[in-house]
Amino acid sequence: MEQITLNWEPQRNVLTVVDLNMAIRALLDESFGNVLVAGEISGCKIASSGHYYFTLKDEAAQLSCVCFRMTARFLRFKPRDGVAVIARGRVDVFEARGQYQLIVESLEPQGHGALQVAFEQLKKKLAAEGLFEAARKRTLPKLPARIGIVTSPVGAAMQDILQVLARRFPGLQIRVYPAQVQGEGSVEAVCRGIEYFGAGGWADVIIVARGGGSLEDLWTFNEEAVARAIVASDVPVISAVGHETDFTIADFVADLRAPTPSAAAELVICTRQEILDAVAAHRRKLEQAIRYRLADAARALHEQGIDRATTLLHRQIGRSQQRIDEVIYRMRDQMRTAVDSRRRKLELTSALLRRLDVRLRFAEARRRVDRAEATASRSIHLRILREKGRLSPLTAHLTQLSPLRILERGYAIVLNQERRIVKSSADAPVGESVEIRTARHILHAQITQ
């Protein structure tokens, strides 16, 4: 009986490296298409294409990153080593090296030292207690009659507040509690001022104010004691510390935060024009929101077509430029190696030439050349003098024999029309024009007799 052989080996699905990398990229793009990663920038370098290449690292790991030129143009700050940042982007695979990397789309710095850490810790603590909650804060009176101000009496903040209040609402009752706002004792002084107006029952609203400065200068208003004094006050408190970009703990616990001391004076009293401006502003915001919704809908529509294709094209161009950058880096390494080798050979040759010093030979040859030049110069000078001596009598004799010397004594030379010297009347018949040459002039005449 014929024996039948069966092959039970399962069929294998073999992928190429490119296929596997593309599959991994699709998986990463689906799962990590928009991530935020915190870390410190290390090994940052800029390629000739304009791309930024760097590594994000922390205590235990690191991640390769690339920011393409088209994205780097819109970054608020340029990447540099040692900066702690939060990077937003998507995870991608670079097929040429088979490694995954973060394609960065935006960067923002993080951390500002020990004071910043203390600020964040106190902020977190008070927020956990609910001191920042809007429900806890009191509503300011629309038209307060008595305003208490806690600030330095010699600072510009007090003058700014008083000038604005006098311009907006003359006749208000204003009291200023003079308090030190910086340095030793400033925390106690500010707390006493808040307690003075908060417990006295006189003020309708309190403004705690200070001009701008550094984080250290404004630190009085980041102390827990000041924050708790604001919370304990029975009177609503407006915090007006620093400039518009400065934020303190006092701003978070106060019933209202003003960007500047002048703005606090603007906010404490409402005017008819402000109400009209607010209505106009709300209208503009509503119109802007409508335009934004329409633009967002249009953008969502385009993303299904042209924008999606453009994004894929930009990604492909970025990957191609990344491959070019890799080739350029390898070429630079090879060129650097070749230059170093040539430099070592040159140093060896220079050392050999220094051992065979020929400067003495050159010096002796130079002295011989100098002596020969001096001898030749003297010989030429003497020869010229001798020739001048022979030339001078010949020149004098030639001058004496020159016809011009005779003409200077009053004689003249007559030339006929054939430019021949007239020696007799036959050479110049009647009616012919002649030329008479004297020592200094030429005369033209005609024979008449």
Side-chain angles (χ1 to χ4, degrees):
M1 177 182 291
E2 184 178 356
Q3 191 175 18
I4 299 176
T5 303
L6 298 177
N7 187 4
W8 295 100
E9 183 180 356
Q11 185 177 0
R12 295 184 299 172
N13 184 17
V14 179
L15 297 176
T16 64
V17 176
V18 174
D19 292 338
L20 180 58
N21 282 340
M22 291 181 64
I24 294 174
R25 176 193 296 157
L27 183 61
L28 292 176
D29 190 47
E30 179 181 355
S31 302
F32 302 97
N34 187 13
V35 295
L36 294 173
V37 183
E40 180 181 314
I41 295 178
S42 175
C44 182
K45 57 185 178 181
I46 308 175
S48 57
S49 61
H51 297 343
Y52 282 84
Y53 297 95
F54 55 90
T55 300
L56 278 183
K57 65 178 184 179
D58 54 19
E59 294 82 358
Q62 62 181 13
L63 173 64
S64 297
C65 300
V66 58
C67 183
F68 294 135
R69 178 172 57 90
M70 296 297 293
T71 302
R73 292 190 306 172
F74 301 102
L75 293 179
R76 288 185 293 178
F77 76 101
K78 301 305 179 184
R80 63 180 185 272
D81 290 347
V83 178
V85 298
I86 297 177
R88 184 181 64 83
R90 56 184 177 81
V91 181
D92 195 12
V93 174
F94 181 42
E95 299 96 330
R97 289 185 299 186
Q99 70 176 38
Y100 71 90
Q101 60 187 3
L102 180 68
I103 298 180
V104 177
E105 297 178 357
S106 68
L107 283 176
E108 59 182 71
Q110 59 173 349
H112 298 285
L115 289 179
Q116 187 66 29
V117 173
F119 176 90
E120 295 296 337
Q121 289 177 350
L122 180 57
K123 179 181 176 183
K124 184 177 180 181
K125 174 184 176 181
L126 298 181
E129 296 179 15
L131 300 186
F132 298 168
E133 296 294 334
R136 183 202 62 80
K137 299 182 180 181
R138 292 149 296 194
T139 303
L140 272 66
K142 293 185 179 298
L143 292 173
R146 297 178 296 276
I147 300 175
I149 304 174
V150 179
T151 188
S152 172
V154 296
M158 184 184 73
Q159 298 300 326
D160 293 341
I161 294 174
L162 293 178
Q163 290 175 5
V164 174
L165 290 176
R167 183 182 71 249
R168 290 172 59 85
F169 207 105
L172 286 174
Q173 299 184 46
I174 302 172
R175 290 184 183 178
V176 178
Y177 185 95
Q180 183 181 348
V181 294
Q182 180 180 345
E184 185 177 357
S186 59
V187 175
E188 293 78 8
V190 172
C191 291
R192 285 194 300 269
I194 297 173
E195 292 168 0
Y196 170 80
F197 289 119
W202 176 85
D204 295 327
V205 66
I206 303 172
I207 299 177
V208 179
R210 188 208 189 282
S214 64
L215 181 62
E216 292 81 1
D217 296 337
L218 305 179
W219 194 251
T220 297
F221 302 92
N222 288 323
E223 292 288 350
E224 184 174 357
V226 173
R228 297 198 179 277
I230 293 174
V231 173
S233 173
D234 295 330
V235 179
V237 178
I238 299 176
S239 174
V241 179
H243 298 301
E244 186 172 359
T245 56
D246 298 322
F247 283 88
T248 63
I249 297 296
D251 294 331
F252 293 108
V253 299
D255 300 293
L256 180 66
R257 184 244 177 193
T260 62
S262 299
E266 298 278 350
L267 294 172
V268 75
I269 292 292
C270 286
T271 64
R272 178 177 179 274
Q273 187 61 42
E274 286 180 343
I275 296 175
L276 295 177
D277 292 342
V279 172
H282 284 299
R283 180 178 180 179
R284 289 193 298 269
K285 288 182 180 180
L286 181 60
E287 293 174 351
Q288 183 179 3
I290 293 173
R291 288 194 296 269
Y292 176 81
R293 291 292 298 273
L294 292 175
D296 188 60
R299 185 168 56 253
L301 179 62
H302 284 290
E303 283 180 354
Q304 303 301 323
I306 297 175
D307 288 353
R308 179 61 178 173
T310 303
T311 301
L312 294 176
L313 179 60
H314 285 170
R315 291 182 183 179
Q316 187 63 32
I317 292 174
R319 296 189 189 101
S320 300
Q321 290 179 341
Q322 189 174 0
R323 295 190 186 94
I324 294 173
D325 293 339
E326 290 289 327
V327 174
I328 291 174
Y329 288 143
R330 287 198 297 270
M331 291 178 62
R332 286 179 180 175
D333 292 339
Q334 294 174 359
M335 291 176 63
R336 190 178 296 109
T337 301
V339 169
D340 291 340
S341 177
R342 298 295 191 281
R343 184 180 292 110
R344 287 193 296 270
K345 291 182 180 179
L346 178 60
E347 291 174 353
L348 293 175
T349 305
S350 300
L352 180 61
L353 290 176
R354 284 194 295 270
R355 288 197 297 269
L356 301 174
D357 191 357
V358 295
R359 289 177 294 179
L360 296 177
R361 302 179 189 176
F362 287 158
E364 180 61 28
R366 183 63 185 175
R367 286 193 292 272
R368 289 199 301 269
V369 171
D370 292 341
R371 287 195 296 271
E373 288 180 352
T375 302
S377 178
R378 287 194 298 272
S379 300
I380 292 172
H381 182 67
L382 293 175
R383 180 68 180 272
I384 291 173
L385 292 177
R386 286 196 301 270
E387 296 299 328
K388 283 184 178 180
R390 293 174 55 194
L391 181 62
S392 296
L394 295 176
T395 303
H397 184 62
L398 180 62
T399 303
Q400 293 297 326
L401 296 177
S402 173
L404 298 178
R405 300 284 292 184
I406 299 173
L407 296 180
E408 290 177 354
R409 294 200 296 271
Y411 294 93
I413 299 175
V414 182
L415 302 176
N416 59 15
Q417 291 180 351
E418 285 93 14
R419 306 289 296 173
R420 292 199 298 270
I421 298 175
V422 176
K423 297 180 180 180
S424 65
S425 60
D427 296 333
V430 176
E432 184 173 351
S433 298
V434 296
E435 180 180 294
I436 303 172
R437 183 182 294 274
T438 64
R440 299 185 183 278
H441 300 91
I442 297 175
L443 307 176
H444 295 277
Q446 189 173 11
I447 304 299
T448 61
Q449 184 178 357

